[in-house]
Structures are given as C-alpha cells and as structure tokens.
Amino acid sequence: MIKLAPAGQKDSVEMRKVYAGFVAEQAEARSGIIALEADLMSSMAMDAVQKQYPQAVINCGIMEANVIGTAAGLSLTGRKPFVHTFTAFASRRCFDQLFMSLDYQRANVKVIASDAGVTACHNGGTHMSFEDMGIVRGLAHSVVLEVTDATMFRAILEQLSELEGFYWVRTIRKQAPAIYQEGSTFTIGKGNVLREGDDITLIANGIMVAEALEAARRLAQEGVSAAVIDMFTLKPIDRMLVKNYAEKTGRIVTCENHSIHNGLGSAVAEVLVETCPVPMRRVGVKERYGQVGTQDFLQREYGLTAEDIVKAARELL
C-alpha cells in the first residue's frame, strides 16, 4: 500500500542520512552488515558512523575496483556488504569487478550508487553518469533499482538487509522531492501507479517522478487524463503493468534522469515491442555528457522538466 505526500514538498531528511542511519542501526543490532566506502565518507554522512561502529565501516580509499573485490570476499565469510560510491565510479570504473566478482560469482553484495545523473551538480561532467543503469542492467543476475525519496530508500534498505544477491540501488545524496508518506510499502519488481489516467501514461523513476506528476497536473488543465507510474525497479521491470497501461491509454512517455539509451525508455520499449506496440516518447538525456551547474539549470539544460514531459505528451496526442 502506498500513501502519497502532498505535492511540492521536499523530504525532511537527506538521502545520505537515511543510508548512514540505516548502517548505524544495523551495526548496533550486529546484523552482519558491513559498509564499504571509497573515500567518500563525509559525502555520505558516514564519518560519525565509523567512529561509533569502527567494526562495521571500512574506508577502502579511492580504489573502486578494490572495494568491489573486498565486498565480494567479505560476502564469502558470511558478512552482508553494502558498498557506496558515486554512480560514475560504481559503474564505469569497476565494471569488470561487478561482472567477475559480484554477478558471475553470485555474490551477496548491495551497491548503493549516489549522485545520480544531474544531481551530481557541481562535480561536473566526469562525475555525472547518464549511462550507469544501462551498464548494470546488462549483467545476467543484477537487480537494478532507482529509489524515489527518503521513505522508499529506507524501506528498500530494510528489505535488502534480508535479501540475497547483487542489487544495484541508484539514489541521490541530498533531499529528494517527497512522493510517499511514512507507512508506504514497496515491492521490488512492481511499479507504483501514482495517478490514474485514460489518455496517456507517464512512466518515470527517480527525481523524474515528481516532474511526471507535475506534468500530469498540467495536462489535466488541458483536458488530458494522464496516468503516472513510478517504475523504481528498472530490472526486472514490471512487464505486466507496462502492457496493461499501454493497452489502456495507447500512448507512453518515459521520463528518466539518465540517457534515453539502455535505461528506462529502452526497457519500456522492449516490453512494448514484444507485448503491445504503441506510440511512445522518451524524455531523458540525449547524446550528451554532463557539466557543472545547479540542479534546476541542469534539468532545464538536459530536457528533464515537467514542461519537457508535457511537450512529449502533446506530440503523441
């Protein structure tokens, strides 16, 4: 069951503090979870956690390939490793280790990849990954998620503490738009219908969920009934939900803070072409690298706003 937060609100807590709090709670409970960092302790609010629970946090330094290998080794001892670094480093820099040490070996490791897409902001183009989810979803046994807000992040982390396997969790570090109220529940592999509609379906993830909801409100003022789906699990994607809403509305717009290639837009298109081909548009980053800027500027620059979604919907309508 999900309960929506009032429109336009921000989370009361930063996503990184949700993660740090989760690790601290698990360390206090001696659950077997161990958190690994790649010299981003302060960036993820983990300094205080390491001081209080030094046995539960390891800073492996600026060696992302090594941190993945270390996590894989720890998983063989029965520990439950959670690895955090920025999306660009957790995907591009150590892809071979993700393949060989985690996925191929079926290791029980959870990778928390932060600073998703344009939310890297002032770290600029080298740290701004638009391709990471596409890289990881190509691995045979990976489960790929992009959490929406603090409420979901907390709930997903709790689930991952009990699940076995290689899970990739894409997130931002700071405050996200609040989409869900406390008490909402989430099922990995199932999308959430946030708004019903009959004319068109907007399928979004991450920070683009708030933009899709705003786009749906604007379309409603034009007499257009738009459904909104939060597809927070990219892999395995909720095929039946995509098919059902393609049949219901006949038009799909995907909305992602990621390249339109090999991300949410591609995953939805794959489902549609195999089950229910309908016209669709992909709102996302198109053949570009990142740059330094505020998040508002970057979302406008890369076409990741509610207005861009409305424009794509109008083209289909």
Side-chain angles (χ1 to χ4, degrees), residues 76-88:
L76 295 176
T77 71
R79 298 299 294 269
K80 301 175 182 179
F82 278 64
V83 174
H84 163 259
T85 187
F86 293 159
T87 52

Side-chain angles (χ1 to χ4, degrees), residues 25-314:
E25 290 170 4
Q26 295 293 319
E28 180 67 26
R30 299 185 180 276
S31 68
I33 282 177
I34 186 164
L36 286 74
E37 288 280 340
D39 207 39
L40 291 172
M41 298 289 291
S42 60
S43 296
M44 205 58 172
M46 289 292 289
D47 285 328
V49 182
Q50 187 186 45
K51 287 178 182 177
Q52 188 171 3
Y53 304 102
Q55 79 286 356
V57 182
I58 301 174
N59 184 0
C60 294
I62 310 176
M63 297 181 289
E64 287 80 6
N66 182 55
V67 78
I68 296 298
T70 301
L74 285 166
S75 74
L76 295 176
T77 71
R79 298 299 294 269
K80 301 175 182 179
F82 278 64
V83 174
H84 163 259
T85 187
F86 293 159
T87 52
F89 306 149
S91 56
R92 299 196 304 254
R93 186 166 294 179
C94 58
F95 178 71
D96 196 44
Q97 284 69 33
L98 294 177
F99 176 93
M100 292 295 294
S101 299
L102 298 193
D103 205 56
Y104 190 75
Q105 303 293 341
R106 304 299 293 269
N108 179 31
V109 175
K110 315 307 188 295
V111 178
I112 311 300
S114 71
D115 268 22
V118 296
T119 70
C121 294
H122 301 295
N123 283 330
T126 56
H127 291 45
M128 197 168 289
S129 174
F130 298 140
E131 63 288 318
D132 53 281
M133 294 183 82
I135 290 171
V136 180
R137 86 179 184 103
L139 294 172
H141 308 297
S142 61
V143 177
V144 183
L145 312 170
E146 180 160 13
V147 292
T148 312
D149 66 2
T151 298
M152 180 188 285
F153 194 20
R154 189 178 297 108
I156 292 296
L157 287 170
E158 292 291 342
Q159 291 185 46
L160 295 185
S161 69
E162 302 296 333
L163 293 171
E164 294 282 326
F166 168 34
Y167 287 75
W168 170 278
V169 184
R170 194 181 202 240
T171 184
I172 70 175
R173 283 190 297 129
K174 299 184 180 179
Q175 287 172 297
I179 303 299
Y180 300 100
Q181 293 185 38
E182 293 294 330
S184 295
T185 56
F186 308 95
T187 301
I188 293 172
K190 297 295 182 183
N192 293 333
V193 179
L194 307 186
R195 183 180 177 121
E196 288 290 356
D198 299 311
D199 299 324
I200 195 166
T201 301
L202 313 178
I203 302 178
N205 57 13
I207 63 170
M208 296 302 288
V209 173
E211 300 296 329
L213 286 168
E214 174 59 24
R217 285 189 282 270
R218 296 185 189 184
L219 288 167
Q221 295 172 357
E222 301 176 13
V224 175
S225 174
V228 178
I229 293 173
D230 179 359
M231 194 64 74
F232 67 91
T233 308
L234 179 65
K235 181 192 173 191
I237 197 166
D238 192 340
R239 293 175 60 88
M240 187 57 66
L241 190 62
V242 173
K243 177 178 181 290
N244 288 345
Y245 274 79
E247 291 174 344
K248 179 180 180 180
T249 67
R251 306 170 185 87
I252 301 284
V253 177
T254 56
C255 320
E256 58 192 309
N257 172 31
H258 187 274
S259 170
I260 61 170
H261 302 302
N262 209 16
L264 179 63
S266 293
V268 170
E270 290 160 12
V271 175
L272 294 179
V273 76
E274 292 178 350
T275 63
C276 182
V278 298
M280 71 172 289
R281 293 288 186 275
R282 294 172 294 166
V283 173
V285 179
K286 301 175 177 66
E287 299 293 339
R288 294 185 66 183
Y289 291 123
Q291 61 182 295
V292 170
T294 65
Q295 186 173 322
D296 286 345
F297 164 78
L298 291 167
Q299 285 191 238
R300 293 192 302 271
E301 177 72 12
Y302 291 91
L304 306 178
T305 68
E307 184 54 42
D308 294 298
I309 299 170
V310 170
K311 180 181 178 182
R314 286 176 182 148

